[in-house]
Amino acid sequence: MDYAEAVKKVSEYGQEHVLQYFNELSEEEKTALLRQIAQTDFSVLAKASEKGKEQKRGVITPIPAMKLSEIKEKKETYTKQGIELIRAGKVGAVLLAGGMGTRLGSDNPKGMYNIGLTKEVYIFERIIRNLLDVVEQTGTFIHLFIMTSEKNHEKTTAFLKEKKYFGYAPEYVTFFMQDMAPASDYSGKVYMEEKGLMSASPNGNGGWFSSMKRAGVLETVHKAGIEWLNIFAVDNVLQRIADPCFVGAVAEKNCAVGAKVIKKAAPDEKVGVICLEDGRPSIVEYYELTKELMETKDEAGEPAYNYGVILNYLFRVKDLEEIVGQEMPLHIVEKKIPYLNEAGETMKPEQPNGYKYESLVLDMIHMLDSCLVYEVVREHEFAPIKNPTGIDSVESARELLKLNGVEL
Ligand code: UTP
């Protein structure tokens, strides 16, 4: 993109100010800014005015779940089916590691966090070890796709290379970068972080499949004959990935997606709850769950909206390809965004000063026709690390790891 094209593009969105310092930039900085303008989707900024006018939800009803007792009964059959699919190379894993991990507060990518006490135990290491259990069980390496973002790609790739992928076969590891979204003030004007750099952040975990496609990684998926992709968050260190029983159950039930869920610890626990919305699978965020829904009981007297998602989904690739071009809901999140002040200095605000624009993977569930809700045991599969201390923290995850016999 040349300067004239950049002027045209930013003018279309009322963002001319991003070129304000162009003449002061070095040649290298000019090229970088023009590239950033070419790659940026400014259309999201127009949604700033829609903040607070959230889309109305459809009619929410309970969704049946495959409970632990049923899974236990059919464990052998499902596991056998899952192992066959894995051995046939039909299952891939996608690690979502493009987030900023701001709550944890480390400068490095979250996966590089050392949670060990007497030795080094990295988050990435724990996740790869969990996947290696399935490699051992099936005698087959599983393609592992790792989504990073511009903000953490270099560090992530260098770290995993240095650690020799914690024993994983490098030819089965593929990195791809997710797209970035501009960050703006409350009126939708994009902030500048430096004179030649717009403030931007990863565009949320909902863009993982379209980013995979754009990066050309979908070709690898096709060539390898992968039919199912198990996506999972970087921060759940007890996560079971490509779990044969789960894979077998979702395939057997012929669902477009399977969602691992846990029974909620309390009606108001801060996890997204799986349900039906206008008859289609959907997830209601904890802050959208009304008191009435929280208190609704099923025939057995159990809470009807009792299953929380843990960001571990098995998607059927052909169904993803059908929805990949569709527009996803945009989540507008208030954040602290670095910006240039009038004097041209970069400021780091103490308080939120604008919006980031994200799409979320949980919205993909509602775009699909069928979802197997698959219950797992919380203590064995859910130890998220969001914060340094307290709930969902390094501390709580350490306790859960110890409970599961992991040495730290
Ligand atoms: P979170 O919603 O916990 O966000 O991500 P985060 O960025 O890691 O942490 P905070 O909110 O800044 O503290 C859930 C999962 O989705 C991934 C994260 O890496 C994590 O595995 N993610 C999130 C992405 O891959 N890309 C994104 O743009 C956002």
Side-chain angles (χ1 to χ4, degrees):
M1 175 171 271
D2 64 20
Y3 180 72
E5 287 165 331
V7 172
K8 186 163 176 279
K9 183 169 180 183
V10 297
S11 320
E12 270 167 30
Y13 296 98
Q15 305 290 339
E16 295 86 341
H17 62 285
V18 302
L19 288 165
Q20 182 185 345
Y21 297 105
F22 195 76
N23 292 335
E24 292 180 29
L25 304 177
S26 68
E27 283 312 307
E28 222 172 276
E29 288 167 335
K30 282 181 179 167
T31 312
L33 181 57
L34 292 177
R35 193 181 321 119
Q36 196 190 17
I37 292 171
Q39 288 170 349
T40 297
D41 173 11
F42 291 99
S43 68
V44 293
L45 300 166
K47 308 261 166 114
S49 58
E50 289 171 25
K51 173 75 180 161
K53 297 175 202 153
E54 271 74 26
Q55 264 178 312
K56 218 173 137 352
R57 305 251 12 173
V59 177
I60 306 290
T61 50
I63 188 169
M66 185 182 267
K67 299 197 178 146
L68 292 174
S69 52
E70 186 181 347
I71 297 170
K72 198 170 164 202
E73 235 171 71
K74 309 254 179 68
K75 188 164 184 216
E76 227 175 281
T77 317
Y78 291 152
T79 304
K80 193 164 163 276
Q81 271 173 292
I83 289 178
E84 273 167 26
L85 287 168
I86 293 166
R87 286 202 178 130
K90 293 195 190 313
V91 181
V94 184
L95 166 56
L96 303 177
M100 303 275 280
T102 35
R103 283 169 285 173
L104 189 59
S106 158
D107 286 339
N108 284 328
K110 213 185 235 187
M112 284 172 65
Y113 199 90
N114 175 14
I115 49 169
L117 290 168
T118 61
K119 57 178 185 173
E120 291 175 0
V121 179
Y122 298 96
I123 292 182
F124 277 139
E125 179 179 4
R126 269 316 329 148
I127 282 171
I128 291 178
R129 293 251 182 272
N130 292 348
L131 190 54
L132 278 169
D133 287 345
V134 184
V135 172
E136 233 168 70
Q137 189 183 0
T138 59
T140 321
F141 268 97
I142 294 156
H143 273 277
L144 172 61
F145 301 94
I146 303 179
M147 182 168 86
T148 59
S149 78
E150 222 171 87
K151 300 263 182 194
N152 66 16
H153 184 77
E154 295 302 322
K155 279 188 177 171
T156 303
T157 50
F159 177 76
L160 285 169
K161 195 165 170 217
E162 182 205 319
K163 298 292 178 191
K164 301 200 166 50
Y165 303 94
F166 295 106
Y168 215 76
E171 62 275 27
Y172 281 89
V173 180
T174 307
F175 293 94
F176 66 101
M177 271 201 258
Q178 73 175 98
D179 302 326
M180 302 289 284
S184 75
D185 66 13
Y186 293 118
S187 71
K189 285 256 179 267
V190 62
Y191 273 122
M192 295 303 285
E193 191 168 329
E194 291 166 21
K195 290 182 176 175
L197 180 71
M198 292 184 277
S199 295
S201 61
N203 66 346
N205 56 25
W208 70 275
F209 191 67
S210 50
S211 295
M212 212 174 175
K213 190 173 176 188
R214 200 161 12 259
V217 173
L218 203 49
E219 281 164 35
T220 313
V221 169
H222 288 148
K223 267 195 210 138
I226 295 168
E227 292 177 7
W228 297 93
L229 287 171
N230 190 174
I231 68 150
F232 61 100
V234 69
D235 44 32
N236 176 6
V237 282
L238 279 180
Q239 189 115 248
R240 305 308 306 174
I241 310 135
D243 164 0
C245 188
F246 178 48
V247 172
V250 180
E252 166 69 24
K253 297 289 174 193
N254 197 21
C255 285
V257 62
K260 282 199 168 188
V261 298
I262 47 163
K263 209 178 243 187
K264 290 203 302 181
D268 60 352
E269 188 183 355
K270 289 185 176 174
V271 287
V273 167
I274 195 145
C275 59
L276 289 172
E277 181 178 355
D278 295 334
R280 295 170 69 80
S282 193
I283 292 159
V284 174
E285 289 267 46
Y286 67 90
Y287 51 82
E288 293 173 314
L289 197 68
T290 59
K291 196 159 179 284
E292 189 194 334
L293 290 177
M294 242 184 252
E295 287 170 358
T296 309
K297 300 274 190 302
D298 63 15
E299 313 84 76
E302 293 265 331
Y305 301 95
N306 209 13
Y307 291 102
V309 285
I310 59 170
L311 220 175
N312 186 320
Y313 304 103
L314 183 71
F315 286 96
R316 191 162 54 191
V317 176
K318 76 174 166 68
D319 296 79
L320 287 172
E321 287 182 288
E322 278 168 26
I323 61 164
V324 66
Q326 289 177 25
E327 198 182 331
M328 292 184 68
L330 198 66
H331 296 255
I332 305 171
V333 199
E334 214 184 336
K335 293 260 168 146
K336 298 177 214 161
I337 302 160
Y339 67 98
L340 272 194
N341 66 9
E342 306 263 292
E345 302 150 345
T346 302
M347 307 298 289
K348 293 208 163 155
E350 301 279 312
Q351 296 301 325
N353 60 335
Y355 296 140
K356 286 188 177 177
Y357 302 81
E358 297 183 338
S359 62
L360 300 179
V361 66
L362 54 84
D363 288 317
M364 284 174 117
I365 305 302
H366 192 50
M367 297 162 86
L368 296 164
D369 292 330
S370 51
C371 175
L372 177 71
V373 181
Y374 181 96
E375 188 185 4
V376 299
V377 180
R378 168 191 285 266
E379 294 73 23
H380 294 329
E381 298 205 23
F382 191 51
I385 297 179
K386 302 285 183 194
N387 309 296
T389 55
I391 294 171
D392 295 344
S393 67
V394 176
E395 282 174 353
S396 59
R398 278 187 185 136
E399 289 311 309
L400 285 158
L401 283 167
K402 283 191 220 155
L403 193 81
N404 283 277
V406 177
E407 271 181 49
L408 292 173

